[in-house]
Amino acid sequence: MSDALICGIAGAGAGVIAQLITYPLDTVNTRQRTDRNSKKMKKTLGTIEQMCQVVKQEGWDRLYGGLAPSLVGTAASQGVYYYFYQILRNRAETDALVRKKNGIGDGSVGMFSSLLVAALSGCVNVLLTNPIWVVVTRMQTHSRKDKDNHPKLEASHDEISVVVEPSPYGTSHTIQEVYGEDGISGFWNGVFPTLFMVSNPSIQFMLYETLLKKIRKRRASSNKGANDVTALEIFLLGAVAKLGATVVTYPLLVIKSRLQAKQDIGADKRHQYKGTLDALMKIIRYEGFHGFFKGMGTKIVQSVLAAAILFMVKEELVRCARWLLTGRSAANAIR
């Protein structure tokens, strides 16, 4: 089994575990990002308050709205990303060694090369998985109080009120809704800001690998073993790397979410977006720069926690897979 395939499978598994643990925070943050009311018009609820509000008004299951396609999307995204990242990383390392033989460099992959590898991997990931995240965003922002899509029928004033419960807002319904509104192209709504957002994992992985390399160098020089990095240290490195990347790219995430969420037909035109530039100008005009940072505190907590779990679990899965393969190969050689 190739090293790229091991990293791809480990990344997918780690991504699913991290997503399961942090999904309620992700749902609340998506709703915060797609809230199009200005700060003056609506009192901003805290993360815990909003979670309680969702549970009280819509039930516990709404905190996990879109979980199934999200897990598919997370596994696909992490698998695709890590697979192509490892292939391109191996190529970059080979080129670095060739340059060293020619008397150029020290044989290690520089920060710029790491950034480029992560960016290219991110672009491939975005183009292949964007439709999944359009569906997930729709399902996370769907509210059972939505009267536009699921009208409630009530009896006359003198009769007992009868409410027709809306049909379940499942994955297939969401796919049909997106296709009905915009056709096939609707599944790539928000793809342009998302492509720009490849700088997020690029910055994240650049910071992570730079810090990891420094720790391993320090361990090697102190005769403790170059690979002697604990799970806790991996956890902390992943958290620090994700924190820096999230703060820088959050406004792009807000624009992407606004474009992927349902555009209410007949609603206030100020809250409808025709594209990335239109969304950018309307957010500035009607909400101010504050609009680009709605829910950032929630996102930082969710992203840092998810990234830390992802890195820790991924490294452990890769280590276990290599150990199993090495042990099996040794056993076969003895036979």
Side-chain angles (χ1 to χ4, degrees):
M1 185 181 291
S2 68
D3 200 49
L5 186 57
I6 291 175
C7 288
I9 295 173
V16 168
I17 293 173
Q19 185 78 347
L20 282 171
I21 294 173
T22 63
Y23 196 79
L25 285 172
D26 190 44
T27 297
V28 169
N29 180 244
T30 302
R31 292 190 176 204
Q32 290 171 337
R33 295 195 306 267
T34 54
D35 177 16
R36 304 176 191 187
N37 293 314
S38 66
K39 190 176 181 181
K40 296 179 181 179
M41 295 172 60
K42 184 179 180 179
K43 181 182 177 182
T44 303
L45 295 177
T47 302
I48 302 300
E49 291 176 308
Q50 193 160 354
M51 289 179 71
C52 293
Q53 184 183 70
V54 172
V55 172
K56 182 178 179 180
Q57 297 180 355
E58 305 176 49
W60 279 98
D61 60 312
R62 289 311 307 154
L63 288 176
Y64 292 89
L67 177 61
S70 180
L71 290 177
V72 173
T74 298
S77 294
Q78 296 298 331
V80 168
Y81 186 87
Y82 276 109
Y83 180 77
F84 283 98
Y85 179 84
Q86 194 62 44
I87 289 176
L88 295 172
R89 179 78 183 182
N90 291 342
R91 179 61 183 272
E93 289 175 351
T94 302
D95 291 342
L97 291 175
V98 171
R99 287 196 301 271
K100 182 180 180 182
K101 289 180 180 179
N102 295 329
I104 304 173
D106 60 356
S108 63
V109 179
M111 292 183 67
F112 177 77
S113 295
S114 295
L115 184 63
L116 182 61
V117 166
L120 290 174
S121 304
C123 287
V124 175
N125 174 37
V126 167
L127 294 173
L128 292 179
T129 64
N130 195 76
I132 300 174
W133 298 115
V134 170
V135 172
V136 171
T137 300
R138 290 291 186 100
M139 295 181 72
Q140 285 182 325
T141 56
H142 174 75
S143 171
R144 285 179 177 163
K145 297 182 294 180
D146 189 349
K147 298 180 180 180
D148 292 331
N149 292 330
H150 305 290
K152 295 182 179 180
L153 302 179
E154 297 183 1
S156 63
H157 181 71
D158 297 326
E159 299 175 1
I160 298 175
S161 297
V162 178
V163 177
V164 179
E165 288 294 328
S167 58
Y169 193 77
T171 304
S172 60
H173 181 281
T174 309
I175 293 172
Q176 293 173 9
E177 181 182 81
V178 174
Y179 182 78
E181 291 176 6
D182 300 309
I184 292 295
S185 63
F187 293 99
W188 275 270
N189 284 340
V191 72
F192 291 112
T194 309
L195 283 172
F196 284 111
M197 279 183 63
V198 299
S199 58
N200 184 294
S202 299
I203 295 170
Q204 174 186 347
F205 278 90
M206 181 184 66
L207 290 173
Y208 171 76
E209 296 216 347
T210 300
L211 293 171
L212 183 61
K213 188 160 79 170
K214 287 184 177 180
I215 288 179
R216 284 177 170 166
K217 269 188 177 180
R218 186 175 299 175
R219 295 288 166 81
S221 62
S222 61
N223 297 321
K224 292 184 178 180
N227 295 318
D228 188 20
V229 181
T230 67
L232 178 60
E233 288 171 329
I234 294 293
F235 182 94
L236 294 175
L237 288 178
V240 171
K242 191 62 180 181
L243 175 61
T246 298
V247 172
V248 173
T249 61
Y250 193 77
L252 290 170
L253 183 60
V254 171
I255 294 174
K256 183 209 77 165
S257 298
R258 299 285 183 96
L259 292 172
Q260 291 181 342
K262 182 177 177 60
Q263 305 291 315
D264 293 329
I265 305 301
D268 193 337
K269 297 295 182 181
R270 296 178 300 174
H271 298 156
Q272 295 181 16
Y273 311 119
K274 298 177 181 178
T276 303
L277 184 60
D278 185 49
L280 176 68
M281 299 307 295
K282 284 183 176 177
I283 292 173
I284 292 175
R285 182 177 179 183
Y286 299 116
E287 301 175 51
F289 286 99
H290 163 77
F292 290 110
F293 295 94
K294 285 184 175 179
M296 189 173 73
T298 305
K299 185 60 181 177
I300 287 175
V301 173
Q302 185 270 329
S303 294
V304 169
L305 181 59
I309 294 170
L310 186 148
F311 279 118
M312 182 178 66
V313 175
K314 183 250 181 183
E315 292 291 338
E316 290 301 310
L317 290 176
V318 169
R319 189 175 301 172
C320 289
R322 287 173 178 165
W323 179 81
L324 289 173
L325 290 173
T326 302
R328 186 174 297 175
S329 298
N332 291 335
I334 293 173
R335 292 176 184 176

